[in-house]
Amino acid sequence: MCSAPEQSAELPAGTDLSKESVLVGKVTNGGSPVGGAYVRLLDGTGEFTAEVVSSASGDYRFFARPGTWTVRALSRSGNGQTEVSVGGPGLFTTEVQVA
Amino acid sequence: MSRQDALVSADWAEQNLDAPNTVFVEVDEDTTAYEGGHIPGAVKLDWKTELQDPVRRDFVDKSGFEQLLSGKGISNDDTIILYGGNNNWFAAYAYWYFKLYGHQAVKLLDGGRKKWELDGRKLDTEVPQRSQTQYRAQEQDTSIRAFRDEVVNAIGTKNLVDVRSPDEFSGKLLAPAHLPQEQAQRGGHIPSALNVPWSKAANEDGTFKSDDELRALYSEQGLDSSRPTIAYCRIGERSSHTWFALHELLGETDVKNYDGSWTEYGSLIGVPIETGDGKS
């Protein structure tokens, strides 16, 4: 790690990371955060599970169960996706680049 | 009903922003979305604080709805174009709610806020000033609204369509994956319900799939068109989306939305609940 994990997306009060799996990250384009992107969580079969809009700082957050997920972002500057494997409870961070 | 009566495209909307007797209404869970920028001329409706009774768990009553729409400057002869975030969940809910109170000239903007934004169409922060009207509502049309006992009696006889995600259906989750887990006391689904997540009716950009695709989807999932249908989800907004697809787009005649949905059913004492994927 070259820096402390970015935590601008604060977890809601009451989130218990010893029980819940929380998937967080940023949508970026050429290294810059992309706010207002539509971030879709797709399950291991590619099926839609949830969607949020990234914050001004590009952050998104999902509550997910263990498994393999695809985080797909749609934005005016393009679309992109990344896969993430959630092994159990805890915080999972991943970046999605759009172009 | 048909697609032409119930849906408008973003292109149509853009060309009809100033059309007479046409009112654009944004409906969101997150009302800050409207303040950050909305379709020019659109008024805001807050599904929670304006469409729900503040005390009892129910909708505002007929006179409450009349006051609400009068205050928004909406007349009985206006055509309402609804749109919103969350893939039009709450806009579809408001559509169903307008129909419930007898407002027939109501349409949904295909793709809602998402498509509008992704297309880079104009958004505005100016809040329109509309003069007060004397809106008159009809009594609730309960042919499109299902209540608890009717749902329990529908087990094994009517089509019950659970439009939540597979993990909510099976009982692993009690709310969608982007929300903290809370709500109903027990997880699972109503026995005999089919699980056809609302999202299968929508494209990635939030527009509805074609009639042919929708028809194929529901028949593949085992929906029997000769029987009445009740759709439900967690709080009744995603099931409004499916109610819209079945009743308004495909023209199925007997389709109800169970707005009590899982938060009510999953908290009832003594009713049957099934867990798992429902296929075993």
Side-chain angles (χ1 to χ4, degrees):
Chain A
M1 294 297 289
C2 52
S3 65
E6 285 165 314
Q7 291 295 316
S8 49
E10 268 180 52
L11 295 179
T15 304
D16 183 352
L17 288 176
S18 70
K19 289 182 183 150
E20 293 178 78
S21 311
V22 185
L23 241 172
V24 299
K26 273 186 194 299
V27 181
T28 59
N29 185 356
S32 307
V34 177
Y38 284 82
V39 188
R40 296 164 69 81
L41 182 67
L42 312 177
D43 72 13
T45 67
E47 202 58 61
F48 173 91
T49 303
E51 181 180 275
V52 296
V53 179
S54 63
S55 70
S57 54
D59 288 289
Y60 65 84
R61 174 176 65 232
F62 293 108
F63 295 81
R65 69 182 164 83
T68 304
W69 300 95
T70 298
V71 182
R72 176 164 170 81
L74 312 178
S75 80
R76 285 186 59 190
S77 55
N79 305 333
Q81 62 188 54
T82 185
E83 266 197 18
V84 55
S85 186
V86 173
L91 191 64
F92 296 81
T93 306
T94 188
E95 188 174 300
V96 185
Q97 295 177 32
V98 295
Chain B
M1 287 306 295
S2 70
R3 188 166 284 253
Q4 293 88 317
D5 299 322
L7 266 186
V8 299
S9 68
D11 282 341
W12 182 93
E14 201 162 39
Q15 289 153 16
N16 286 275
L17 293 177
D18 301 315
N21 294 111
T22 304
V23 185
F24 285 77
V25 180
E26 175 161 337
V27 194
D28 273 313
E29 186 178 27
D30 168 20
T31 48
T32 59
Y34 176 89
E35 270 102 51
H38 49 263
I39 292 182
V43 299
K44 176 178 79 168
L45 204 54
D46 183 328
W47 84 279
K48 195 167 215 166
T49 61
E50 296 183 312
L51 295 178
Q52 309 285 324
D53 186 287
V55 180
R56 296 179 314 120
R57 187 166 177 220
D58 203 351
F59 301 151
V60 297
D61 62 13
K62 177 166 167 280
S63 73
F65 188 67
E66 290 172 340
Q67 281 173 30
L68 173 67
L69 292 206
S70 299
K72 300 279 177 191
I74 293 172
S75 303
N76 283 82
D77 57 358
D78 284 334
T79 296
I80 314 295
I81 313 293
L82 294 161
Y83 75 96
N86 289 63
N87 290 279
N88 268 340
W89 285 359
F90 294 92
Y93 174 86
Y95 179 105
W96 169 77
Y97 196 114
F98 273 68
K99 290 276 182 180
L100 189 71
Y101 275 123
H103 196 103
Q104 297 307 326
V106 53
K107 294 168 191 278
L108 206 53
L109 170 62
D110 203 14
R113 226 190 131 88
K114 176 160 67 172
K115 178 160 175 53
W116 191 272
E117 285 181 11
L118 291 175
D119 287 351
R121 297 176 198 263
K122 191 182 174 201
L123 294 168
D124 198 358
T125 53
E126 194 180 321
V127 177
Q129 299 300 314
R130 302 183 60 87
S131 6
Q132 174 93 14
T133 61
Q134 295 288 322
Y135 188 88
R136 286 289 165 265
Q138 309 290 311
E139 293 298 333
Q140 280 191 22
D141 173 9
T142 51
S143 74
I144 59 170
R145 186 181 188 195
F147 295 93
R148 179 182 70 203
D149 295 347
E150 186 180 358
V151 170
V152 174
N153 290 329
I155 295 171
T157 62
K158 294 183 179 176
N159 296 305
L160 286 165
V161 184
D162 186 318
V163 314
R164 296 173 299 160
S165 61
D167 281 350
E168 294 172 88
F169 181 83
S170 67
K172 288 177 190 150
L173 295 181
L174 284 167
H178 67 291
L179 296 172
Q181 300 300 303
E182 50 185 12
Q183 308 291 339
Q185 291 296 308
R186 296 300 165 102
H189 57 266
I190 303 172
S192 79
L194 307 169
N195 183 207
V196 191
W198 70 274
S199 54
K200 287 182 182 286
N203 296 309
E204 186 174 73
D205 65 0
T207 55
F208 280 93
K209 289 194 174 156
S210 71
D211 290 355
D212 287 347
E213 288 170 315
L214 291 173
R215 229 172 260 118
L217 165 68
Y218 293 109
S219 88
E220 274 164 22
Q221 301 289 326
L223 192 85
D224 177 355
S225 288
S226 67
R227 295 187 194 189
T229 297
I230 298 173
Y232 74 93
C233 58
R234 182 178 67 112
I235 53 172
E237 78 313 18
R238 285 174 285 175
S239 49
S240 300
H241 187 277
T242 294
W243 174 86
F244 181 89
L246 288 169
H247 192 264
E248 304 297 286
L249 297 181
L250 295 185
E252 297 284 336
T253 48
D254 192 347
V255 186
K256 294 186 178 191
N257 181 27
Y258 172 37
D259 57 279
S261 274
W262 195 255
T263 52
E264 175 174 80
Y265 193 95
S267 300
L268 292 174
I269 301 285
V271 295
I273 288 179
E274 200 170 81
T275 54
D277 65 8
K279 288 172 184 144
S280 45

